[in-house]
């Protein structure tokens, strides 16, 4: 019986040692797992925060680009309306100047015709057979200086009208070229901004997918960490008593085994 009891105490002692070794290793592994998972969660939090900021910045940039394109479209519309009004003014100015030229040239032609006819008639009279010399102080008929002044004034006004027409044509040509250049540059800028919006939208969509994945990974990591914490609690329930009382139990078992050994030797000695 004593031999059976001794073996039982020895097995109990070995079981405590085995349990202690298991608990130390399991608690250490659990502690490492908790630390690593906490690091993973921290990194995922940082990744989510970075992606959130980047997505917000891209959204802000896309909004600004969209507003700039809208403003350019307004500017194009206004420029087109202004160009149309300027062209209408140009057409009016040119029409007025050409009408003025036509009227004045017609008047000038009539005036020239009238004075040329008068000059021919006067010349015919002066070519009659020579008579007695004209009396002193007689002045030969000449074109009226007043007529020459009127014709000169008409020619001057016609010249000014032609100059105004030419200036208007040049100004219209320059304005049209400037407008076409503005339209070309604005359209090119809008196309560039549209491409930028497309690229940023694609980048934003990709980051949103990354963020969703990171949030799912974090949710999984939190769940795994909760399992680690549950395992830690279970280990402490199973191990705390063994670890806290190991030395005392080992000493008690040793003493009990020694007591049995002494009792055995006493019994043998009595025989």
């Amino acid at each position: 019986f004593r031999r059976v009891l001794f073996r039982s105490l020895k097995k109990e002692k070995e079981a405590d040692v085995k349990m202690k070794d298991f608990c130390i290793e399991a608690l250490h592994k659990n502690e490492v797992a908790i630390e690593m998972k906490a690091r993973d969660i921290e990194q995922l939090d940082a990744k989510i925060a970075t992606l959130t900021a980047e997505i917000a910045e891209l959204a802000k940039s896309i909004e600004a680009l969209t507003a700039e394109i809208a403003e350019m479209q307004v500017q194009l519309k206004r420029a087109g309306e202004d160009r149309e009004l300027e062209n209408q003014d140009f057409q009016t100015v040119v029409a007025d100047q050409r009408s003025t030229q036509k009227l004045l040239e017609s008047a000038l032609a009539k005036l020239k015709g009238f004075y040329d006819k008068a000059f021919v008639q006067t010349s015919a009279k002066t070519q009659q057979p020579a008579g007695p010399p004209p009396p002193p102080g007689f002045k030969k008929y000449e074109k009226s200086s007043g007529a020459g002044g009127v014709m000169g004034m008409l020619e001057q006004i016609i010249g000014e009208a032609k100059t105004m027409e030419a200036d208007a044509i040049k100004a219209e040509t320059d304005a049209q070229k400037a407008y076409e250049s503005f339209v070309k540059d604005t359209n090119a800028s809008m196309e560039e901004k549209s491409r930028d919006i497309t690229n940023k939208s694609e980048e934003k969509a990709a980051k949103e997918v990354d963020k969703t994945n990171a949030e799912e990974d974090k949710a999984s990591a939190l769940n795994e960490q909760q399992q680690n914490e549950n395992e830690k609690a279970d280990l402490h329930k199973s191990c705390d008593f063994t670890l806290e009382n190991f030395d005392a139990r080992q000493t008690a078992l040793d003493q009990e085994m020694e007591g049995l050994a002494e009792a055995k030797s006493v019994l043998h000695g009595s025989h």
Side-chain angles (χ1 to χ4, degrees), residues 206-220:
K207 288 184 182 297
E208 284 170 343
V209 170
D210 289 344
K211 182 186 173 185
T212 298
N213 291 336
E215 287 171 340
E216 290 174 355
D217 290 344
K218 181 186 173 183
S220 297

Side-chain angles (χ1 to χ4, degrees), residues 9-56:
L9 291 171
K10 187 178 180 183
K11 284 182 179 179
E12 189 175 348
K13 185 179 178 183
E14 289 172 351
D16 276 4
V17 171
K18 189 174 181 182
M19 184 65 178
K20 178 189 175 186
D21 292 342
F22 164 78
C23 286
I24 290 172
E25 183 180 0
L27 284 167
H28 175 69
K29 284 182 178 178
N30 176 259
E31 183 182 358
V32 171
I34 288 174
E35 288 178 1
M36 290 181 66
K37 195 57 64 178
R39 193 179 309 158
D40 290 344
I41 292 168
E42 184 180 353
Q43 290 174 349
L44 285 167
D45 278 335
K47 184 177 182 180
I48 291 168
T50 299
L51 286 168
T52 300
E54 289 173 347
I55 289 167

Side-chain angles (χ1 to χ4, degrees), residues 111-127 134 137-148 151:
L111 197 58
K112 280 184 178 180
F114 172 77
Y115 283 110
D116 286 346
K117 185 178 179 183
F119 179 73
V120 168
Q121 289 174 351
T122 304
S123 296
K125 288 179 182 179
T126 58
Q127 289 174 3
F138 179 81
K139 291 184 177 179
K140 184 173 67 171
Y141 175 82
E142 294 177 353
K143 284 195 285 184
S144 165
S145 61
M151 290 172 66

Side-chain angles (χ1 to χ4, degrees), residues 93-94 96-112 149-167:
V93 169
V94 169
D96 288 347
Q97 297 311 312
R98 287 178 179 173
S99 176
T100 298
Q101 292 172 50
K102 187 175 180 181
L103 289 172
L104 292 178
E105 283 171 352
S106 177
L108 183 61
K110 288 180 180 179
L111 197 58
K112 280 184 178 180
V150 170
M151 290 172 66
M153 183 177 67
L154 288 176
E155 288 173 346
Q156 182 180 350
I157 295 172
I158 290 169
E160 290 173 353
K162 287 182 178 179
T163 299
M164 288 182 68
E165 180 187 350
D167 290 344

Side-chain angles (χ1 to χ4, degrees), residues 24-270:
I24 290 172
E25 183 180 0
L27 284 167
H28 175 69
K29 284 182 178 178
N30 176 259
E31 183 182 358
V32 171
I34 288 174
E35 288 178 1
M36 290 181 66
K37 195 57 64 178
R39 193 179 309 158
D40 290 344
I41 292 168
E42 184 180 353
Q43 290 174 349
L44 285 167
D45 278 335
K47 184 177 182 180
I48 291 168
T50 299
L51 286 168
T52 300
E54 289 173 347
I55 289 167
E57 189 62 31
L58 285 166
K60 185 179 178 182
S61 180
I62 290 168
E63 184 180 354
L65 287 166
T66 303
E68 288 170 12
I69 290 174
E71 178 60 25
M72 287 182 174
Q73 289 171 336
V74 171
Q75 291 175 359
L76 274 179
K77 186 173 182 293
R78 287 176 180 170
E81 291 169 350
D82 291 345
R83 182 83 280 275
E84 188 176 350
L85 291 173
E86 287 174 356
N87 182 260
Q88 289 175 2
D89 289 343
F90 161 74
Q91 298 288 351
T92 300
V93 169
V94 169
D96 288 347
Q97 297 311 312
R98 287 178 179 173
S99 176
T100 298
Q101 292 172 50
K102 187 175 180 181
L103 289 172
L104 292 178
E105 283 171 352
S106 177
L108 183 61
K110 288 180 180 179
L111 197 58
K112 280 184 178 180
F114 172 77
Y115 283 110
D116 286 346
K117 185 178 179 183
F119 179 73
V120 168
Q121 289 174 351
T122 304
S123 296
K125 288 179 182 179
T126 58
Q127 289 174 3
Q128 291 177 355
F138 179 81
K139 291 184 177 179
K140 184 173 67 171
Y141 175 82
E142 294 177 353
K143 284 195 285 184
S144 165
S145 61
V150 170
M151 290 172 66
M153 183 177 67
L154 288 176
E155 288 173 346
Q156 182 180 350
I157 295 172
I158 290 169
E160 290 173 353
K162 287 182 178 179
T163 299
M164 288 182 68
E165 180 187 350
D167 290 344
I169 290 171
K170 184 179 184 305
E172 169 66 11
T173 301
D174 291 344
Q176 182 63 24
K177 285 181 180 178
Y179 170 71
E180 289 172 358
S181 178
F182 172 74
V183 170
K184 182 180 177 181
D185 291 345
T186 303
N187 282 329
S189 181
M190 286 197 297
E191 287 175 9
E192 183 181 353
K193 290 181 187 297
S194 294
R195 285 194 298 271
D196 200 10
I197 286 175
T198 300
N199 293 336
K200 281 182 166 55
S201 296
E202 290 174 355
E203 185 181 355
K204 178 171 172 281
K207 288 184 182 297
E208 284 170 343
V209 170
D210 289 344
K211 182 186 173 185
T212 298
N213 291 336
E215 287 171 340
E216 290 174 355
D217 290 344
K218 181 186 173 183
S220 297
L222 287 171
N223 186 52
E224 291 168 9
Q225 187 71 311
Q226 186 58 53
Q227 291 175 3
N228 289 335
E229 292 291 347
N230 293 342
E231 182 185 4
K232 179 181 178 181
D234 291 341
L235 283 170
H236 279 292
K237 284 180 184 178
S238 302
C239 294
D240 283 356
F241 178 81
T242 298
L243 294 174
E244 289 170 4
N245 297 280
F246 178 78
D247 291 339
R249 278 177 57 79
Q250 288 288 303
T251 301
L253 288 168
D254 285 341
Q255 288 174 351
E256 195 170 349
M257 289 168 69
E258 287 173 5
L260 285 172
E262 287 176 4
K264 180 181 178 182
S265 55
V266 169
L267 287 171
H268 278 293
S270 63

